[in-house]
Amino acid sequence: MTAGHDTLYYDGNCGLCNAEMQRLREVKADSLELVDIHSVSDDCNLPDSDQLLQQLHLQTADGAFVIGLEANISAWEHTPYAGRWRLLRLPVVRQLAEIGYALWARWRYRRLYHNANV
């Protein structure tokens, strides 16, 4: 994590994740760092790699973690598209989006890491 920056940890083995990170790289501000989980050493004081692989994790500049859908929304807040992503925080939309994200994340994790017990 870089001081003063948020850091989004993503699964570089996931095609959809890589496509989204490529888009983020094109439009993000310098205040967001994108880090492939597979490039992180074990001594980085992060959740274990299995936890990181199950859902997106964003570490804020103050060291707190935001996980899942909220990590995705928070990452996009570093772009000109922040307002569109904030719509996912509206109560009914958020409930549906959380369900969709949880189902997708679980399916993706099982597909890529088939021996996991999720």
Side-chain angles (χ1 to χ4, degrees), residues 2-118:
T2 305
H5 290 71
D6 288 351
T7 304
L8 182 67
Y9 296 95
Y10 69 94
D11 183 359
N13 289 344
C14 170
L16 182 60
C17 303
N18 280 321
E20 183 173 3
M21 294 309 116
Q22 182 56 43
R23 179 67 180 135
L24 260 174
R25 274 186 198 90
E26 294 169 2
V27 298
K28 74 176 185 63
D30 291 339
S31 58
L32 178 65
E33 184 178 358
L34 304 175
V35 176
D36 182 348
I37 296 161
H38 302 286
S39 71
V40 175
S41 65
D42 289 337
D43 61 348
C44 285
N45 200 24
L46 294 170
D48 70 47
S49 61
D50 194 54
Q51 285 180 306
L52 290 171
L53 290 169
Q54 288 183 36
Q55 296 186 69
L56 277 176
H57 283 66
L58 181 134
Q59 190 171 21
T60 62
D62 66 3
F65 278 95
V66 179
I67 300 170
L69 178 66
E70 188 61 32
N72 203 345
I73 296 167
S74 295
W76 281 95
E77 286 186 337
H78 293 269
T79 76
Y81 304 106
R84 295 177 190 170
W85 284 83
R86 283 187 203 121
L87 294 173
L88 292 175
R89 288 186 175 134
L90 295 172
V92 173
V93 175
R94 180 170 194 108
Q95 288 175 335
L96 295 173
E98 286 280 1
I99 291 168
Y101 178 84
L103 290 171
W104 180 83
R106 188 173 180 160
W107 172 83
R108 182 203 65 81
Y109 182 76
R110 282 185 172 169
R111 183 178 60 87
L112 293 174
Y113 307 99
H114 57 82
N115 59 348
N117 294 323
V118 181

